[in-house]
């Protein structure tokens, strides 16, 4: 007796690209902000490549990435999962060594450029048994650029942490944890700040507060900022420029303003552009 197993149709989340978008994309001319001739990039990336040895062969995660970021710029690094954006930020922060290529950092530091880089980690859980005060004190003790007591007190008040120094850090709410994460990232007087999904675990009110205070701090201190996020509101709030990665290469580098002017909204652009294979 023969049995025939009829395959059931599998569900898919694939949504076709808006045909109007495809037509608009053909006529889109990416725009890059012009900088004065005397300005030099604070970060300059040249032919950056990263390969990992996986399953007995090399897998190229980044392929000859080149771009420059100027002082005070706020740039979003975007792409689908696996595009290479996390690896790129890890290399820029010094936690991963590239396979080839060069990175030039043009700002003052004592021993290494990573001393002046602040990183807000997306998932930075605190160990049990430590109070908020303990974590802040330890972070300040290992920073090359230590914050003064007066500036520390002012910053604690700005981020609303001054009333929770004696709280167990692992018991903080999602919003409180994110405030602590950002505080730890900026307390070393960074020249460059990495924001990784800043709005994670925040409700709308907490997002608005965090966006306002972090944005004000960045602008006041002229901090060059690189953002990685899937939240369109967050991207628009913090970035003027987007660099989009696909399969380890830069496929688009332009201003958010030019995208909105041509496609109507960043959300419409991203929802269609990231589907392109």
């Amino acid at each position: 007796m023969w049995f025939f197993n009829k395959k059931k149709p599998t569900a898919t989340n694939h949504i076709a690209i808006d045909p109007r978008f495809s037509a608009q994309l053909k006529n889109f001319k990416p725009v890059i902000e012009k900088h004065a001739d005397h300005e030099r990039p604070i970060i300059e990336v040249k032919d950056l490549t990263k390969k990992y040895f996986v399953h007995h062969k090399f897998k190229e995660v980044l392929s000859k990435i080149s771009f420059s970021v100027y002082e005070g710029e706020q740039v979003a690094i975007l792409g689908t999962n696996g595009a290479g954006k996390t690896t790129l930020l890890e290399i820029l922060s010094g936690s991963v060594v590239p396979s080839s290529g060069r990175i030039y950092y043009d700002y003052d530091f004592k021993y290494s450029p990573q001393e002046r880089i602040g990183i807000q980690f997306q998932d930075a859980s605190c160990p049990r048994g430590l109070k908020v005060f303990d974590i802040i004190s330890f972070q300040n003790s290992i920073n090359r650029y230590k914050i003064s007591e007066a500036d520390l007190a002012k910053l604690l008040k700005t981020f609303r942490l001054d009333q929770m120094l004696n709280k167990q850090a692992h018991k903080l709410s999602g919003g409180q944890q994110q405030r602590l994460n950002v505080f730890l990232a900026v307390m070393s007087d960074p020249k460059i700040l990495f924001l990784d999904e800043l709005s994670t675990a925040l409700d709308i009110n907490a997002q608005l507060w965090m966006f306002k205070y972090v944005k004000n701090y960045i602008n006041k201190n002229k901090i060059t900022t690189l953002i990685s996020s899937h939240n369109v509101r967050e991207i628009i709030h913090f970035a003027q420029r987007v660099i989009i990665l696909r399969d380890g290469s830069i496929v688009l580098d332009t201003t958010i303003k030019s995208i909105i002017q041509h496609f109507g909204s960043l959300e419409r652009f991203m929802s269609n552009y990231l589907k392109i294979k």
Side-chain angles (χ1 to χ4, degrees):
M1 182 178 291
W2 295 89
F3 293 91
F4 294 90
N5 292 323
K6 186 176 181 181
K7 290 186 178 180
K8 295 181 179 180
T10 56
T12 177
N13 292 323
H14 177 72
I15 301 175
I17 297 173
D18 182 350
R20 294 175 302 167
F21 176 83
S22 299
Q24 286 179 306
L25 186 61
K26 291 180 181 179
N27 299 320
F28 180 51
K29 296 180 180 179
V31 176
I32 289 292
E33 293 285 353
K34 293 183 178 179
H35 297 271
D37 293 337
H38 65 275
E39 290 186 9
R40 291 185 300 177
I42 193 170
I43 307 175
E44 191 171 9
V45 178
K46 294 285 189 181
D47 296 325
L48 197 68
T49 297
K50 181 61 181 177
K51 299 178 181 179
Y52 289 104
F53 194 69
V54 181
H55 300 308
H56 308 292
K57 63 180 180 179
F58 282 101
K59 178 182 179 181
E60 193 171 63
V61 182
L62 294 176
S63 179
K64 294 186 177 181
I65 296 289
S66 295
F67 65 93
S68 297
V69 178
Y70 289 79
E71 185 172 15
E73 266 198 312
Q74 295 163 18
V75 183
I77 307 294
L78 307 178
T80 57
N81 293 333
K85 58 185 185 295
T86 298
T87 301
L88 175 59
L89 293 179
E90 288 175 340
I91 291 174
L92 292 175
S93 67
S95 58
V96 171
V97 178
S99 301
S100 62
R102 297 292 301 273
I103 306 172
Y104 303 93
Y105 300 91
D106 189 13
Y107 51 83
D108 294 332
F109 54 86
K110 292 181 180 179
Y111 300 101
S112 74
Q114 280 69 39
E115 299 165 10
R116 305 298 301 276
I117 295 177
I119 307 172
Q120 169 263 317
F121 294 102
Q122 180 181 352
D123 298 311
S125 57
C126 296
R128 292 177 176 271
L130 294 179
K131 296 180 179 180
V132 172
F133 175 81
D134 299 325
I135 293 174
I136 292 173
S137 296
F138 173 76
Q139 182 68 38
N140 197 36
S141 70
I142 63 175
N143 285 341
R144 295 286 187 185
Y145 288 79
K146 292 177 173 52
I147 190 170
S148 68
E149 290 188 10
D151 288 339
L152 179 61
K154 184 178 180 180
L155 200 60
L156 283 168
K157 189 173 182 179
T158 297
F159 282 89
R160 299 180 182 177
L161 293 172
D162 53 328
Q163 300 301 315
M164 58 181 70
L165 292 176
N166 289 319
K167 277 192 174 183
Q168 291 291 320
H170 75 278
K171 292 184 178 181
L172 296 178
S173 67
Q176 292 170 339
Q177 181 69 69
Q178 279 293 64
R179 295 213 305 269
L180 177 59
N181 292 342
V182 177
F183 177 89
L184 295 173
V186 303
M187 67 180 287
S188 61
D189 188 26
K191 293 294 293 182
I192 301 170
L193 179 64
F194 293 163
L195 298 177
D196 185 12
E197 301 290 353
L198 179 64
S199 54
T200 297
L202 301 179
D203 59 30
I204 294 298
N205 289 332
Q207 282 185 31
L208 294 175
W209 181 91
M210 182 68 78
F211 288 178
K212 175 184 175 182
Y213 276 86
V214 174
K215 180 73 170 182
N216 287 343
Y217 184 88
I218 288 171
N219 291 341
K220 181 180 178 181
N221 294 278
K222 297 181 179 179
I223 300 175
T224 303
T225 312
L226 297 177
I227 304 113
S228 177
S229 177
H230 292 90
N231 185 327
V232 174
R233 183 189 291 112
E234 184 176 331
I235 296 167
I236 292 175
H237 190 87
F238 284 101
Q240 296 88 37
R241 172 185 169 194
V242 293
I243 295 176
I244 299 181
L245 299 177
R246 183 183 297 132
D247 297 328
S249 298
I250 294 177
V251 292
L252 185 65
D253 184 349
T254 189
T255 63
I256 290 179
K257 181 179 179 181
S258 67
I259 289 175
I260 294 175
Q261 286 178 339
H262 193 82
F263 296 96
S265 73
L266 180 64
E267 184 172 15
R268 176 173 177 265
F269 172 80
M270 294 300 298
S271 64
N272 283 278
Y273 192 80
L274 293 181
K275 295 172 191 171
I276 299 174
K277 299 298 183 181

